[in-house]
Amino acid sequence: MPLEQVLVLLAAAAGAGWVDAVVGGGGLLQLPAIMMTGMPTVEAMATNKLSSVFGTASAAVAYARSTKIDRQVAFPGAGLAVLSAGLGAWAAAAISAEVLRPAVMVVLLGVAAFVTLRPSLGAVPVPQLRTDTRVFAAVATAGIGIAFYDGIVGPGTGTFLIIAFTTILGLDFVSASASAKIINVGTNLGALVVFGLQGHVNWALGLGMAVCNVAGAQFGARMALKRGAAFVRIVLLCVVVALVARLGWQQFGP
């Protein structure tokens, strides 16, 4: 692989780590960069997971040191996520992404409208929303539904997790992002195990990119913790718009 191409991939990994640490969606940068090398789609997805699992775990540690993680949701959800994302990765070859993209685009547009029209969402915690039923719903939504999506498609998983935690449990954006990282580690790990067993992972490239992904993740987590919920909200909206644009291009572009 030419040196210039390697440098682009390392820069993309660092940027992806930053985005993932703040709101999720780092696959917007990292996955297309890997695919530009000509690598087959499944191998690119698998290598992306290898890099991302290190960056996400690094961000999770940074958040855990500075803010409260919702352990009642994050840890059970992460356990489920390993299994669900693994199942999604196993099914990735059988389920056409073209079938899923329009539905995901509609959901993302709804997310963008919801966040825009409710500027108070995620600004401060709303603990009165929390009930046993809502905790169960949050664990199931994150650990099963969103995790399965991450195994099949991937980009935007962290964003969906943050929105789920703010709307279902009333967490602020920073706390939601912290808890989301724990579950995102589970989704990345579950998919990676399956892809690895299938022989799709480019280990040398993925581990090299993981170093830069960790560096970006550390920077992003510290920036989110320092600047607070308002900053996370702005980045969230930017990532959602970028996700819709990317999925739309994949679905309807030439």
Side-chain angles (χ1 to χ4, degrees):
M1 186 178 294
L3 177 61
E4 295 82 1
Q5 201 168 56
V6 172
L7 293 176
V8 168
L9 290 175
L10 295 178
W18 187 91
V19 174
D20 264 338
V22 179
V23 292
L28 277 171
L29 296 173
Q30 191 164 258
L31 186 56
I34 297 173
M35 293 181 69
M36 284 174 60
T37 66
M39 190 179 295
T41 300
V42 176
E43 186 176 340
M45 291 174 62
T47 305
N48 175 62
K49 291 299 179 192
L50 175 58
S51 174
S52 296
V53 73
F54 284 96
T56 306
S58 172
V61 172
Y63 275 109
R65 288 174 175 171
S66 303
T67 192
K68 183 179 179 181
I69 290 176
D70 194 325
R71 297 173 182 270
Q72 191 177 2
V73 172
F75 292 118
L80 283 172
V82 173
L83 299 175
S84 298
L87 183 60
W90 177 77
I95 300 177
S96 172
E98 282 72 16
V99 175
L100 295 175
R101 285 192 196 115
V104 175
M105 288 170 62
V106 170
V107 172
L108 284 168
L109 288 170
V111 166
F114 190 67
V115 174
T116 302
L117 295 173
R118 290 191 59 186
S120 62
L121 178 71
V124 294
V126 188
Q128 58 267 33
L129 286 181
R130 190 185 188 90
T131 63
D132 290 342
T133 300
R134 282 177 173 265
V135 168
F136 177 81
V139 171
T141 299
I144 299 176
I146 297 176
F148 185 79
Y149 163 81
D150 192 24
I152 293 181
V153 182
T157 297
T159 305
F160 285 131
L161 289 169
I162 291 172
I163 291 298
F165 292 155
T166 52
T167 54
I168 297 174
L169 297 176
L171 300 182
D172 65 87
F173 277 134
V174 174
S175 296
S177 186
S179 299
K181 296 300 167 288
I182 303 295
I183 294 180
N184 213 171
V185 171
T187 66
N188 285 330
L189 184 60
L192 177 61
V193 168
V194 172
F195 284 136
L197 291 174
Q198 293 174 340
H200 294 306
V201 182
N202 186 320
W203 294 98
L205 177 61
L207 289 172
M209 293 178 69
V211 176
C212 294
N213 198 281
V214 168
Q218 285 294 306
F219 183 55
R222 291 173 185 176
M223 186 175 289
L225 288 165
K226 181 179 179 180
R227 298 197 177 186
F231 171 72
V232 176
R233 181 177 184 273
I234 293 171
V235 178
L236 176 69
L237 284 170
C238 292
V239 169
V240 168
V241 170
L243 275 167
V244 172
R246 181 196 168 200
L247 292 171
W249 176 260
Q250 289 179 320
Q251 187 72 19
F252 306 112

